[in-house]
């Protein structure tokens, strides 16, 4: 039965493949290969050319060779452990096929006496005779053997032969898919179709040809589909009409005038962008992106203040209680007294909580701070007009979409992230949102001095720290956590804190993976109050919290961290107006790569630039653990090598948006490439 296949064939289950049983299906599923489409991206790593065959007399020893022979005689010894042999001939000579652990019946079946058979494998020479041991490539049909055979990085339990067969079956059954791209785009890839591109992708001789049109087209498809889904979500959110917020910026400016600093140009610019959104009739869905310490909090609080003045309530969600409290205290300090400010804490008593919930519902609270607990069902607002979420870089597109849906029609959404990332990544990950970026930092900041030190020179570091403590300063001491050996690191951090405790009695506290949240808060609060001097930790110190007194950070085993992470860690200090330092410690002499990274860090304090450099050194996916955070990873596309494709995709999306083009022709593309639930609303 020959049915015309459409793209649904590619989405069908692996069990619909011929000759693929439960065992293979399950092995693949374990590797997250669930559909035929998923198998397309299982690419050959290398290939073995078995296409040329020679005569026995011309065989080259120790090379993989193909030869057509006629089996003559079996010798099947009845003694265990002795191999079975089949003597084979052609008109030029003799060769022995040698089998260990193979059944007689099987051998006689694949090498029948007197029949022409093609065999292939690595040729040996033993006791004056050519020999082929345990040949895997044997067939009476020479064309099956005489070709290029792909090698895959194998899923355990599935042989190369099975893989080749499965892939071949899929390639032969590829559906004809109507072209989804515009002529302009297609032209950029020499008009190669998706179908032909996939075929070329799997041709052994095309392995590693990243620059060729077929590869570029497929990489582009991936990028483009991600961008298209992002664009559709954004359009959908934008379409939601809301009540415009009306406020007088005079009041906002009064607050600004009372701050003990003036806003930077970027702070002013982003505040304007947000205010404009608040006043528009379209719902805001905006990301405020800025480096650590660039001053996002004040921008977000001012926009909260404006929303309150417009008669709405505001919810501010932080990732931790301590950060929520810090924002809460800041609001209390800068907002006029008539504004009702609350903190919903996990530690509040039941009565207290109930009271807060009641007052929220009666609109007796204008702004509430808290953790994700703020999004529980029982927390209801009378007139919520703005949700602010701080340091949210762990949300995926799906979660954000849900958040926006839940927020309700009149509620604007502002997300903040202190994770500067390369532009290509921002487009990919946050393309569903409008973007405001704070690049410049407050100019009162002194750059953090960055040093590198061998671990054996720890005494110098201790001396330095003693001096700093005398000046009233505090110190972060970071021991990295390596996933594979949590236990070891753990003990190393404990040992380090014991060592430091001896030198600085009563001045050292330790945070590690096993510290409970409650303990952690107590310790962090003490540190904030300057009750002790040195905080040793294995985990990354809470993002976002301002420790104005801490101005030294020591990072052990600094080579375990990526550049961006080092930059983030360094950003824990240097937030006040003091001179501050970052000491990177290394176990042994620095590798070239480590030297490069230190120089990059010394050279710049600009997180965006550093993240670009980080990506160049480490590759996409590794930076800042985006791989782990569930954010989609590309199969072929690479933001470094395919930078131009990202730009092209962005341009094409903008064109489609501008010309309000019908996107239904992209339905197969989206269905194939992006099977998140969000697309059900779209295509
Ligand atoms: P982040 O962007 O990392 O959230 P914060 O908003 O916590 O940064 O700001 C870090 C510190 O910088 C705070 O102590 C804040 O008061 C201060 N700050 C913010 N804006 C300015 C500014 N324009 N000039 C000087 N200091 C500022
Ligand atoms: Mg912050």
């Amino acid at each position: 039965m020959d049915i015309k296949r459409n793209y649904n064939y590619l989405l069908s289950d692996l069990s619909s493949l011929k000759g693929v049983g439960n065992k293979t299906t399950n092995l693949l599923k374990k590797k997250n290969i669930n559909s035929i489409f998923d198998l397309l991206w299982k690419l050959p790593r290398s290939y073995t050319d078995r296409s040329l065959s020679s005569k026995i007399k011309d065989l080259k020893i120790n090379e993989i060779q193909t030869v057509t022979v006629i089996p003559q005689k079996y010798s099947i010894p009845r003694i265990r452990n002795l191999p079975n042999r089949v003597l084979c001939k052609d008109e030029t000579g003799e060769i022995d096929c040698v089998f260990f652990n193979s059944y007689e019946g099987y051998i006689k079946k694949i090498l029948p006496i007197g029949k022409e058979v093609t065999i292939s494998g690595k040729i040996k020479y033993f006791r004056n005779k050519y020999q082929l041991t345990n040949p895997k490539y044997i067939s009476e049909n020479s064309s099956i053997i005489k070709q290029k055979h792909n090698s895959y990085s194998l899923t355990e339990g599935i042989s190369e032969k099975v893989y080749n067969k499965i892939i071949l079956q899929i390639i032969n059954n590829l559906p004809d898919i109507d072209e989804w791209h515009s002529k302009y785009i297609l032209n950029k890839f020499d008009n190669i179709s998706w179908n032909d591109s996939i075929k070329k992708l799997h041709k052994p001789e095309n392995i590693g040809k990243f620059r060729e049109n077929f590869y570029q087209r497929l990489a582009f498809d991936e990028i483009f589909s991600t961008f298209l889904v992002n664009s559709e979500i954004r359009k959908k959110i934008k379409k939601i009409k809301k009540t415009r917020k009306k406020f007088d910026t005079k009041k906002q400016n009064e607050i600004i005038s009372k701050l003990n600093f003036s806003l930077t140009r970027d702070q002013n610019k982003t505040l304007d962008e947000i205010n404009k959104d608040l006043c528009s009739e379209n719902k805001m869905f905006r990301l405020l992106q800025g480096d650590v310490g660039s001053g996002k909090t004040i921008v977000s609080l001012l926009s909260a203040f404006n929303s309150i003045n417009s008669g709405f309530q505001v919810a501010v969600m932080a990732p931790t209680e301590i950060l929520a409290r810090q924002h809460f205290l800041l609001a209390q300090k800068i907002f006029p007294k008539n504004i009702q400010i609350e903190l919903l804490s996990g530690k509040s008593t039941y009565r207290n909580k109930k009271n807060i919930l009641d007052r929220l519902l009666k609109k007796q609270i204008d702004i509430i701070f808290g953790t994700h607990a703020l999004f529980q069902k029982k927390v209801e607002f009378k007139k919520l007009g703005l949700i602010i979420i701080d340091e949210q870089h762990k949300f995926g597109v799906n979660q954000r979409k849900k958040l926006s849906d839940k927020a309700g029609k009149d509620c604007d959404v502002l997300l903040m992230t202190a994770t500067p990332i390369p532009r290509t990544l921002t487009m990919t990950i946050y393309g569903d949102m409008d973007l405001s970026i704070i690049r410049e930092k407050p100019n009162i900041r002194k750059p953090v001095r960055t040093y590198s030190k061998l671990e054996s020179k720890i005494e110098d570091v201790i001396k330095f720290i003693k001096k700093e403590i005398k000046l009233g300063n505090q110190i972060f001491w970071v021991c990295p956590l390596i996933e594979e050996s949590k236990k070891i690191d753990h003990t190393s951090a404990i040992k380090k804190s014991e060592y430091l405790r001896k030198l600085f009695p009563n001045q050292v506290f330790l945070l590690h993976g096993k510290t409970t949240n409650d303990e952690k808060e107590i310790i962090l609060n003490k540190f904030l109050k300057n009750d002790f001097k040195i905080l040793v930790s294995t985990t990354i110190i809470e993002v976002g919290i301002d420790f104005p007194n801490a101005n030294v950070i020591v990072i052990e085993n600094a080579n375990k961290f990526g550049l961006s992470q080092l930059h983030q860690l360094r950003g824990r200090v240097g937030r006040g107006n003091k001179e501050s330092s970052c000491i990177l410690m290394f176990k042994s002499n620095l590798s070239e790569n480590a030297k490069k990274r230190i120089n990059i860090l010394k050279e710049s304090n600009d997180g965006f630039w550093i993240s670009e450099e980080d990506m160049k050194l480490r590759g996409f996916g590794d930076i800042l653990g985006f791989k782990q955070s569930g954010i989609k990873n590309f199969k072929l596309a690479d933001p470094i090598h395919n930078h131009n494709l990202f730009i092209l995709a962005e341009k094409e999306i903008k064109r489609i948006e501008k010309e309000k083009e019908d996107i239904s022709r992209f339905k197969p593309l989206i269905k194939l490439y992006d099977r998140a639930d969000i697309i059900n609303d779209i295509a």
Side-chain angles (χ1 to χ4, degrees):
M1 193 171 62
D2 195 25
I3 42 167
K4 186 163 160 44
R5 295 170 202 277
N6 71 8
Y7 67 89
N8 281 319
Y9 166 74
L10 294 169
L11 293 175
S12 50
D13 202 77
L14 297 172
S15 58
S16 57
L17 285 167
K18 265 184 240 150
V20 176
N22 274 343
K23 190 183 137 234
T24 309
T25 309
N26 288 335
L27 286 169
L28 289 170
K29 277 194 175 147
K30 264 191 211 140
K31 292 270 154 165
N32 225 351
I33 297 177
N34 296 305
S35 68
I36 293 179
F37 183 78
D38 294 341
L39 265 173
L40 288 177
W41 313 102
K42 181 98 197 160
L43 297 185
R45 286 285 161 96
S46 59
Y47 67 90
T48 310
D49 191 349
R50 300 182 193 272
S51 58
L52 295 173
S53 77
S54 64
K55 294 292 172 199
I56 291 180
K57 76 168 171 44
D58 301 325
L59 285 174
K60 292 190 194 95
I61 293 160
N62 276 333
E63 278 182 32
I64 289 176
Q65 308 265 290
T66 301
V67 61
T68 299
V69 297
I70 298 174
Q72 308 288 320
K73 193 179 126 214
Y74 305 119
S75 49
I76 314 283
R78 296 298 157 199
I79 303 166
R80 266 184 74 130
N81 295 334
L82 278 188
N84 298 328
R85 288 173 184 275
V86 184
L87 175 69
C88 301
K89 256 188 179 170
D90 71 0
E91 65 276 18
T92 69
E94 289 182 353
I95 183 167
D96 262 350
C97 288
V98 181
F99 294 85
F100 290 88
N101 303 319
S102 288
Y103 292 110
E104 186 180 339
Y106 166 73
I107 294 169
K108 287 182 172 165
K109 192 175 147 210
I110 56 168
L111 290 171
I113 302 285
K115 279 243 169 89
E116 207 167 75
V117 179
T118 302
I119 58 178
S120 179
K122 199 184 238 180
I123 307 292
K124 297 278 175 195
Y125 199 70
F126 187 67
R127 291 198 183 140
N128 292 328
K129 202 190 269 170
Y130 291 108
Q131 174 169 313
L132 188 53
T133 310
N134 288 334
K136 284 200 198 78
Y137 291 87
I138 301 180
S139 177
E140 289 176 45
N141 177 352
S142 67
S143 67
I144 289 182
I145 305 289
K146 287 189 199 171
Q147 46 175 293
K148 289 170 178 145
H149 294 259
N150 286 338
S151 304
Y152 295 88
S153 59
L154 289 178
T155 297
E156 213 174 307
I158 304 178
S159 73
E160 212 135 79
K161 256 172 126 176
V162 171
Y163 250 121
N164 272 301
K165 241 167 72 186
I166 297 175
I167 302 284
L168 197 68
Q169 184 183 151
I170 299 173
I171 300 287
N172 286 337
N173 286 318
L174 280 184
D176 279 324
I177 297 179
D178 291 335
E179 182 55 57
W180 44 63
H181 285 306
S182 62
K183 280 208 177 95
Y184 169 76
I185 290 295
L186 205 57
N187 203 0
K188 300 257 172 201
F189 306 106
D190 309 327
N191 299 315
I192 189 165
S193 70
W194 184 86
N195 208 309
D196 286 344
S197 301
I198 292 285
K199 283 181 185 158
K200 282 200 162 175
L201 185 68
H202 283 270
K203 281 245 163 63
E205 57 270 30
N206 284 335
I207 292 171
K209 294 201 174 156
F210 309 127
R211 293 266 142 236
E212 304 259 313
N213 55 10
F214 70 91
Y215 199 98
Q216 296 274 311
R217 189 226 144 105
L218 293 173
F220 182 80
D221 280 333
E222 253 187 302
I223 301 164
F224 182 80
S225 97
T226 303
F227 284 15
L228 187 63
V229 170
N230 281 342
S231 147
E232 283 305 296
I233 295 175
R234 198 170 59 207
K235 259 196 259 166
K236 254 190 115 152
I237 292 175
K238 277 260 171 87
K239 255 189 224 148
I240 302 171
K241 291 276 183 292
K242 70 161 200 250
T243 313
R244 293 169 190 270
K245 296 189 169 63
K246 292 195 189 95
F247 50 85
D248 189 346
T249 47
K250 236 201 216 147
K251 286 186 184 165
Q252 164 200 291
N253 294 337
E254 264 168 43
I255 294 187
I256 295 175
S257 68
K258 284 187 198 138
L259 297 173
N260 54 8
F261 51 77
S262 48
L263 295 186
T264 62
R265 211 175 37 209
D266 278 355
Q267 280 174 317
N268 276 317
K269 186 190 82 191
T270 50
L271 182 59
D272 282 350
E273 286 165 354
I274 296 166
N275 281 343
K276 215 182 249 163
D277 277 1
L278 295 176
C279 297
S280 106
E281 62 167 2
N282 300 314
K283 183 167 160 153
M284 171 169 81
F285 196 48
R286 186 172 282 278
L287 179 75
L288 179 57
Q289 194 183 25
D291 209 342
V292 268
S294 59
K296 294 179 291 296
T297 320
I298 187 69
V299 172
S300 68
L301 286 186
L302 288 168
S303 61
F305 178 71
N306 289 333
S307 303
I308 295 167
N309 275 334
S310 173
F312 285 93
Q313 291 171 293
V314 177
V316 182
M317 183 174 111
T320 59
E321 285 243 6
I322 188 160
L323 197 55
R325 177 163 286 122
Q326 201 164 55
H327 292 345
F328 164 72
L329 293 174
L330 181 61
Q332 278 190 329
K333 201 168 111 191
I334 63 171
F335 286 176
K337 293 291 162 273
N338 64 329
I339 288 183
Q340 298 305 310
I341 308 170
E342 270 298 345
L343 174 72
L344 186 69
S345 158
K347 282 184 211 68
S348 332
T349 60
Y350 175 78
R351 250 184 71 193
N352 211 328
K353 270 187 207 158
K354 180 138 187 356
N355 175 273
I356 289 179
L357 295 183
D358 285 348
R359 282 162 53 225
L360 271 180
L361 206 51
K362 290 189 194 136
K363 199 169 174 288
Q364 289 167 355
I365 293 171
D366 296 311
I367 179 166
I368 185 151
F369 293 83
T371 59
H372 55 272
L374 279 183
F375 287 106
Q376 288 166 351
K377 268 214 189 85
K378 59 178 188 205
V379 183
E380 288 175 83
F381 296 80
K382 179 150 190 217
K383 206 179 167 196
L384 186 60
L386 173 64
I387 294 179
I388 296 171
I389 299 181
D390 194 10
E391 311 290 358
Q392 60 78 52
H393 64 268
K394 300 224 165 64
F395 278 9
V397 182
N398 275 333
Q399 285 163 299
R400 287 201 294 267
K401 172 83 171 28
K402 278 193 192 123
L403 173 76
S404 159
D405 291 348
K406 205 181 155 188
K409 129 179 153 22
D410 273 339
C411 185
D412 291 307
V413 179
L414 179 66
L415 304 178
M416 295 195 277
T417 167
T419 314
I421 51 173
R423 206 175 95 79
T424 44
L425 264 189
T426 304
M427 291 181 328
T428 307
I429 300 171
Y430 297 118
D432 56 332
M433 284 187 283
D434 289 317
L435 199 62
S436 290
I437 303 180
I438 306 185
R439 273 180 197 282
E440 81 195 307
K441 289 188 196 164
N443 56 13
I444 58 153
R445 294 281 154 73
K446 301 206 173 74
V448 182
R449 287 165 307 186
T450 304
Y451 306 99
S452 51
K453 267 271 170 216
L454 276 182
E455 228 167 67
S456 51
K457 297 268 169 65
I458 193 166
E459 243 111 81
D460 295 353
V461 180
I462 299 290
K463 239 186 253 162
F464 180 77
I465 285 179
K466 277 190 177 149
K467 213 175 65 203
E468 291 292 325
I469 291 180
K470 254 196 199 129
L471 294 171
N473 297 327
Q474 289 173 290
I475 286 99
F476 291 112
W477 193 296
V478 183
C479 307
L481 181 112
I482 313 165
E483 278 305 321
E484 314 93 69
S485 59
K486 266 186 188 147
K487 236 192 204 146
I488 302 169
D489 284 332
H490 209 82
T491 48
S492 86
I494 293 174
K495 270 195 195 133
K496 187 53 53 101
S497 67
E498 280 163 2
Y499 165 80
L500 290 168
R501 252 176 218 143
K502 274 188 202 133
L503 298 169
F504 305 93
N506 301 322
Q507 296 301 342
V508 181
F509 277 77
L510 169 67
L511 285 185
H512 56 64
K514 290 215 177 112
T515 316
T516 64
N517 275 346
D518 284 352
E519 276 177 279
K520 191 165 158 187
E521 266 209 62
I522 294 171
I523 293 175
L524 287 175
N525 266 320
K526 277 181 165 211
F527 195 57
L528 210 51
K529 283 192 275 168
N530 203 351
D531 283 353
F532 66 93
K533 298 299 178 190
I534 304 176
L535 181 66
V536 182
S537 75
T538 52
T539 42
I540 292 187
I541 310 145
E542 293 307 297
V543 261
I545 312 175
D546 241 353
F547 295 96
N549 247 322
N551 71 333
V552 178
I553 184 163
V554 179
I555 304 171
E556 280 197 48
N557 252 335
N559 48 312
K560 297 280 181 224
F561 293 101
L563 259 180
S564 296
Q565 268 175 313
L566 289 175
H567 173 70
Q568 289 276 320
L569 284 170
R570 182 172 64 172
R572 299 296 104 211
V573 299
R575 295 190 145 213
N577 46 11
K578 285 185 199 168
E579 288 277 352
S580 45
S581 339
C582 170
I583 302 170
L584 305 171
M585 297 194 47
F586 294 85
K587 269 199 180 351
S588 54
N589 283 328
L590 296 182
S591 66
E592 276 311 304
N593 203 319
K595 276 184 204 156
K596 236 189 240 165
R597 297 193 309 177
I598 294 172
N599 283 336
I600 289 169
L601 278 176
K602 283 184 181 168
E603 201 168 304
S604 168
N605 229 348
D606 175 356
F608 288 95
W609 183 75
I610 289 174
S611 74
E612 298 277 355
E613 296 300 309
D614 197 16
M615 188 164 81
K616 281 182 209 155
L617 285 177
R618 298 214 289 168
F620 169 63
D622 271 343
I623 47 167
L624 288 168
F626 271 104
K627 232 179 214 160
Q628 290 96 301
S629 61
I631 284 163
K632 151 172 191 158
N633 221 334
F634 291 115
K635 297 172 184 88
L636 305 183
D638 179 303
I640 306 163
H641 300 299
N642 304 128
H643 191 266
N644 56 337
L645 297 181
F646 281 78
I647 304 300
L648 182 64
E650 191 188 34
K651 196 170 140 201
E652 176 72 351
I653 292 287
K654 283 209 176 117
R655 185 192 64 77
I656 290 171
E657 281 178 3
K658 196 167 148 230
E659 292 172 16
K660 297 202 165 69
E661 216 170 87
D662 178 18
I663 63 150
S664 55
R665 69 176 198 274
F666 294 113
K667 187 172 170 177
L669 173 78
I670 297 176
K671 285 268 180 197
L672 289 173
Y673 281 86
D674 204 314
R675 276 157 291 152
D677 3 321
I678 16 178
I679 59 141
N680 290 329
D681 312 352
I682 299 167

